[in-house]
């Protein structure tokens, strides 16, 4: 016996289908395989309960994410703040909507070098990765003690530009005398006995550096409800990682690193680059100003981005209120 389908029943069915389709929104995330990017990666695990599917794409370098944003392939991204500033200066249509990790910069010397402070770096070779906050803070520290620098011999300090992955090897092989390094590589150098910390360079105008979560203008402006859900997901994921260290440790070690990073390295790296939510206009303004001053981030000839025009923290503040987080 056939069941009669009324018009009202058909409308109800179509409405249910449309609602389900509307709730299955795909948001594309650009991320890096680093310990302090873990909470951002974890967003995809809790996103489905918000009606969102987050598709994560892991890049080798943060700067590589920006062309993908321009090509319309990425909606949100975890980015070093200096990378976001440089990208915005070049017209990449992004807004900075939150911070997700802070710190993560240490100046490390070889164990066999009698280096006690920044001033004693005179005459030394220092390794650093170009166009990073590590470079920016190193130059700010050298400037404080009136040391000059260049890639070529002849200045007080010779800079040796290497990738994060190659800095430790260069220090261990005594090709450089010191380095300004990120985590977990900085902690690995110390734990493995060939490096020791000189300084965490947080006494410059930048203070403790913050990494930024960025969102495309398209998502922010044209899908405000989805954009707010994304920030709700980010705040919840970060809150879980802060309140449940065992969850953060297990997820990063197993899901991100496939158990190829040691527990000790994770804990040391996490201690020196903890998760956060917050970003401020001052963070962005000061970093932008120093990037211009020291010539990092390739801002030469670019109009400096005005923080008030592209730092959008309202969604973050609302998400924190929604989840009862101060």
């Amino acid at each position: 016996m056939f069941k009669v389908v009324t018009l009202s029943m058909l409308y109800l069915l179509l409405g249910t289908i449309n609602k389900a389709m509307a709730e299955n929104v795909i948001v594309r995330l650009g991320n890096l395989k680093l310990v302090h990017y873990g909470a951002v990666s974890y967003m995809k695990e809790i996103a489905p309960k918000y009606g969102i599917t987050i598709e994560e794409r892991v890049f080798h370098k943060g700067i590589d994410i920006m062309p993908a944003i321009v090509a319309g392939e990425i909606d949100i991204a975890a980015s070093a703040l200096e990378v976001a500033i440089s990208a915005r200066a070049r017209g990449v249509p992004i807004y900075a909507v939150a911070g997700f990790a802070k710190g993560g910069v240490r100046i490390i010397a070889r164990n066999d070098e009698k280096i006690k402070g920044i001033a004693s770096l005179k005459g030394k070779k220092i390794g650093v990765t170009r166009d990073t906050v590590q470079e920016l803070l190193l130059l700010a520290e050298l400037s404080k003690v009136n040391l000059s620098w260049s890639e070529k011999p002849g200045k007080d300090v010779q800079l040796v530009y290497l990738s994060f992955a190659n800095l430790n090897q260069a220090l261990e092989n005594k090709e450089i005398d010191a380095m300004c390094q990120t985590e977990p590589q900085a902690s690995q150098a110390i734990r493995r006995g060939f490096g020791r910390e000189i300084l965490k360079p947080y006494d410059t105008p930048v203070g403790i550096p913050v990494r930024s979560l960025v969102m495309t203008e398209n998502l922010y402006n044209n899908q405000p409800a989805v954009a707010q859900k994304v920030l709700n997901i980010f705040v919840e994921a970060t809150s879980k990682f802060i309140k449940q260290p065992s969850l953060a440790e297990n997820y990063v070690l197993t899901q991100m690193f496939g158990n190829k990073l040691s527990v000790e390295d994770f804990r040391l790296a996490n201690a020196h680059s903890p998760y956060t939510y917050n970003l401020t206009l001052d963070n962005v303004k000061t970093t932008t100003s120093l990037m211009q001053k020291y010539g990092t981030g390739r801002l030469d000839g670019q109009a400096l981005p005005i923080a008030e025009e592209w730092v959008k923290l309202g969604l973050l503040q609302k998400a924190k209120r929604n989840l009862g987080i101060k």
Side-chain angles (χ1 to χ4, degrees):
M1 187 174 184
F2 294 104
K3 186 174 181 179
V4 177
V5 178
T6 65
L7 189 59
S8 60
M9 291 172 64
L10 184 59
Y11 283 147
L12 180 61
L13 178 61
L14 290 173
T16 302
I17 293 172
N18 288 336
K19 182 180 179 182
M21 292 177 64
E23 290 179 347
N24 186 27
V25 177
I26 295 174
V27 174
R28 300 158 302 173
L29 164 67
N31 204 8
L32 301 181
K33 186 180 175 181
L34 293 169
V35 167
H36 34 294
Y37 288 62
V40 175
S41 181
Y42 188 70
M43 289 171 65
K44 65 180 181 288
E45 307 298 333
I46 61 176
K49 75 176 186 178
Y50 287 86
I52 289 177
T53 297
I54 291 181
E55 295 180 349
E56 182 183 30
R57 179 176 164 189
V58 177
F59 289 78
H60 181 62
K61 295 181 295 183
I63 197 170
D64 295 337
I65 301 176
M66 296 305 161
I69 289 176
V70 173
E73 298 169 357
I74 295 294
D75 304 303
I76 58 172
S79 172
L81 181 56
E82 69 278 3
V83 171
I85 290 169
S86 180
R88 178 72 189 190
R90 286 167 170 74
V92 178
I94 53 172
Y95 292 140
V97 294
F100 68 86
K102 57 187 177 181
V105 184
R106 302 166 83 179
I107 298 178
I108 308 291
R110 277 172 28 203
N111 265 336
D112 60 340
E113 285 282 350
K114 295 180 179 180
I115 297 173
K116 296 182 179 180
I118 297 299
S120 57
L121 290 172
K122 186 173 182 177
K124 304 297 184 182
K125 291 183 178 181
I126 308 176
V128 70
T129 302
R130 193 186 298 274
D131 293 330
T132 61
V133 72
Q134 285 76 18
E135 182 192 19
L136 180 65
L137 295 184
L138 173 62
L139 300 186
E141 291 288 352
L142 294 175
S143 180
K144 283 178 61 178
V145 294
N146 299 313
L147 291 182
S148 60
W149 61 83
S150 174
E151 288 184 71
K152 299 179 180 180
K155 298 293 185 179
D156 294 328
V157 168
Q158 184 177 350
L159 299 180
V160 179
Y161 286 105
L162 297 167
S163 69
F164 292 131
N166 291 330
L167 283 172
N168 279 20
Q169 183 179 358
L171 190 73
E172 187 173 17
N173 292 341
K174 301 183 180 182
E175 297 165 5
I176 56 175
D177 304 301
M179 63 182 180
C180 193
Q181 179 64 294
T182 190
E183 294 291 351
Q185 289 91 341
S187 291
Q188 288 170 340
I190 294 171
R191 189 171 73 82
R192 295 172 188 175
F194 59 85
R196 59 183 175 82
E197 180 181 303
I198 301 174
L199 177 73
K200 294 182 183 69
Y202 302 155
D203 57 349
T204 77
V206 172
I208 300 176
V210 180
R211 290 167 177 80
S212 60
L213 183 71
V214 300
M215 176 180 291
T216 64
E217 290 184 10
N218 179 58
L219 176 57
Y220 185 95
N221 292 328
N222 298 327
Q223 300 183 69
V226 174
Q228 183 63 65
K229 285 184 179 181
V230 168
L231 266 294
N232 292 347
I233 294 165
F234 165 73
V235 170
E236 182 177 342
T238 303
S239 175
K240 285 181 179 292
F241 267 38
I242 292 172
K243 294 177 181 178
Q244 302 176 48
S246 60
L247 170 67
E249 181 177 301
N250 180 68
Y251 184 80
V252 171
L253 292 180
T254 61
Q255 300 301 311
M256 292 183 70
F257 284 90
N259 293 313
K260 293 181 180 179
L261 182 73
S262 72
V263 172
E264 293 82 359
D265 284 339
F266 169 83
R267 291 177 180 174
L268 285 168
N270 188 244
H272 293 287
S273 188
Y275 304 111
T276 188
Y277 316 94
N278 299 318
L279 180 71
T280 69
L281 282 173
D282 283 344
N283 292 146
V284 179
K285 287 179 178 179
T286 303
T287 303
T288 304
S289 176
L290 287 187
M291 287 173 66
Q292 182 186 43
K293 179 178 180 179
Y294 296 119
T296 65
R298 304 174 189 178
L299 291 183
D300 295 344
Q302 304 292 330
L304 294 184
I306 299 171
E308 288 84 355
E309 295 179 355
W310 74 285
V311 180
K312 307 287 185 179
L313 302 176
L315 299 181
L316 172 65
Q317 293 162 359
K318 185 175 180 180
K320 290 174 69 176
R321 288 195 301 270
N322 291 342
L323 294 167
I325 294 171
K326 295 182 180 180

